[in-house]
Amino acid sequence: MDKKKMKKISKIVLIVVFIFFMLFMINTIRKLIIIKELQRNVSQYTSSTNYYVKCSSNQDDGAIVVLNSYQKDNKRLFVVERIENGKTIAKISTYDDGKEKHTFLEASETKKASLDSHVLMAMNLYDYFGGQSNMQLICSCISSKVESAEYKGKECYRIGNFRSGNWLDAAYGTSEVYIEKDTGLVLKTNYGTTVNTEMEYQFDTIQDEIFVEPDISQYELVNDL
């Protein structure tokens, strides 16, 4: 093969490589723009002080674990329920008024309460992509997959293989998350093949009545739970 043909082939190869590189860069920038938009959208919710979040997770044994988090100003209520065959078999409720935490346990025939609880429970509203610098976001975008999808009638982005920094990512590996386009709120996450969760939200609907504690006389008092 003469030098002229070699030069022509090399030029074509360089053009092809350049085209692929440009397509790669455009796709990475597209994903970064989408993520930045989702961060802007969710920022209007993360500072809310009146909200309800429900997180339902399917377990390997067929049970469902439901986390319910309520907040109004400085008052919080966090409820964990384990449901089997449609029936709640265990429930832990922690009431936090900003000064004290009281925890109530109900399971089978057991009803216990702690008025000096050290149980740390919270489920805050969060930015799925938060806590990362722009460079870290770009690196995460490179390996991630971002595409439009629909979940329960809501327009979403389905994002896969994005390393969010969430401990579940590290524990279970590859994740897939559905994030609503308009709000930036996470609607569903799949971690590995074992942990699947669904999220529901309400804003500015929480009333003081939800924070009224159960009748303590119906519970056995213990030091801590």
Side-chain angles (χ1 to χ4, degrees), residues 77-91:
L77 169 60
F78 191 83
V79 182
V80 183
E81 296 179 89
R82 181 178 175 85
I83 301 172
E84 295 182 2
N85 300 318
K87 182 179 179 181
T88 299
I89 64 167
K91 178 180 177 181

Side-chain angles (χ1 to χ4, degrees), residues 33-65:
I33 290 173
I34 288 173
I35 287 169
K36 286 293 187 180
E37 180 184 8
L38 291 174
Q39 287 188 300
R40 285 193 297 272
N41 291 344
V42 80
S43 64
Q44 64 184 311
Y45 297 99
T46 53
S47 60
S48 174
T49 58
N50 187 309
Y51 65 85
Y52 163 64
V53 182
K54 178 181 179 181
C55 177
S56 303
S57 299
N58 296 319
Q59 307 298 299
D60 289 339
D61 58 5
I64 299 174
V65 173

Side-chain angles (χ1 to χ4, degrees), residues 77 79 90-95 102-115 212-223 225:
L77 169 60
V79 182
K91 178 180 177 181
I92 300 177
S93 305
T94 298
Y95 295 78
H102 297 170
T103 298
F104 300 81
L105 167 66
E106 299 176 33
S108 186
E109 301 299 321
T110 300
K111 296 183 73 173
K112 296 181 179 181
S114 171
L115 302 184
V212 176
E213 298 183 10
D215 181 358
I216 194 68
S217 66
Q218 302 297 314
Y219 293 76
E220 175 191 353
L221 286 177
V222 295
N223 289 332
L225 291 171

Side-chain angles (χ1 to χ4, degrees), residues 37 73 120 139 176 183:
E37 180 184 8
D73 300 325
L120 298 177
C139 291
E176 179 182 68
T183 65

Side-chain angles (χ1 to χ4, degrees), residues 15-34:
I15 292 173
V16 171
V17 170
F18 177 75
I19 291 173
F20 274 105
F21 175 75
M22 289 304 298
L23 290 174
F24 168 79
M25 290 300 298
I26 290 171
N27 189 41
T28 300
I29 292 171
R30 177 190 70 86
K31 291 185 284 188
L32 182 61
I33 290 173
I34 288 173

Side-chain angles (χ1 to χ4, degrees), residues 4-225:
K4 189 174 182 179
K5 286 186 177 180
M6 285 290 294
K7 188 174 181 180
K8 185 177 181 180
I9 292 173
S10 297
K11 187 176 181 180
I12 293 173
V13 171
L14 287 174
I15 292 173
V16 171
V17 170
F18 177 75
I19 291 173
F20 274 105
F21 175 75
M22 289 304 298
L23 290 174
F24 168 79
M25 290 300 298
I26 290 171
N27 189 41
T28 300
I29 292 171
R30 177 190 70 86
K31 291 185 284 188
L32 182 61
I33 290 173
I34 288 173
I35 287 169
K36 286 293 187 180
E37 180 184 8
L38 291 174
Q39 287 188 300
R40 285 193 297 272
N41 291 344
V42 80
S43 64
Q44 64 184 311
Y45 297 99
T46 53
S47 60
S48 174
T49 58
N50 187 309
Y51 65 85
Y52 163 64
V53 182
K54 178 181 179 181
C55 177
S56 303
S57 299
N58 296 319
Q59 307 298 299
D60 289 339
D61 58 5
I64 299 174
V65 173
V66 180
L67 312 180
N68 299 279
S69 184
Y70 304 82
Q71 179 171 344
K72 182 183 179 186
D73 300 325
N74 65 332
K75 297 179 180 180
R76 290 191 173 199
L77 169 60
F78 191 83
V79 182
V80 183
E81 296 179 89
R82 181 178 175 85
I83 301 172
E84 295 182 2
N85 300 318
K87 182 179 179 181
T88 299
I89 64 167
K91 178 180 177 181
I92 300 177
S93 305
T94 298
Y95 295 78
D96 184 352
D97 64 2
K99 298 178 181 179
E100 296 179 324
K101 288 195 290 290
H102 297 170
T103 298
F104 300 81
L105 167 66
E106 299 176 33
S108 186
E109 301 299 321
T110 300
K111 296 183 73 173
K112 296 181 179 181
S114 171
L115 302 184
D116 186 23
S117 176
H118 295 97
V119 174
L120 298 177
M121 292 184 175
M123 187 165 56
N124 298 319
L125 299 167
Y126 68 99
D127 172 4
Y128 182 79
F129 312 102
Q132 298 194 58
S133 65
N134 286 333
M135 183 55 65
Q136 288 174 319
L137 283 176
I138 292 172
C139 291
S140 295
C141 284
I142 290 173
S143 61
S144 67
K145 182 178 181 180
V146 179
E147 59 187 4
S148 292
E150 186 176 297
Y151 181 71
K152 290 189 174 181
K154 296 181 178 180
E155 291 296 319
C156 302
Y157 285 111
R158 180 169 56 223
I159 301 174
N161 300 332
F162 190 94
R163 306 304 296 176
S164 69
N166 189 308
W167 70 270
L168 285 170
D169 276 333
Y172 294 99
T174 301
S175 66
E176 179 182 68
V177 59
Y178 288 76
I179 300 180
E180 188 176 11
K181 290 182 178 181
D182 291 340
T183 65
L185 294 168
V186 174
L187 300 183
K188 183 181 180 182
T189 56
N190 299 323
Y191 292 99
T193 59
T194 59
V195 179
N196 304 301
T197 66
E198 295 183 349
M199 310 285 287
E200 299 176 27
Y201 306 87
Q202 292 180 20
F203 294 93
D204 301 321
T205 62
I206 307 305
Q207 302 299 319
D208 289 331
E209 289 77 8
I210 194 69
F211 303 103
V212 176
E213 298 183 10
D215 181 358
I216 194 68
S217 66
Q218 302 297 314
Y219 293 76
E220 175 191 353
L221 286 177
V222 295
N223 289 332
D224 201 5
L225 291 171

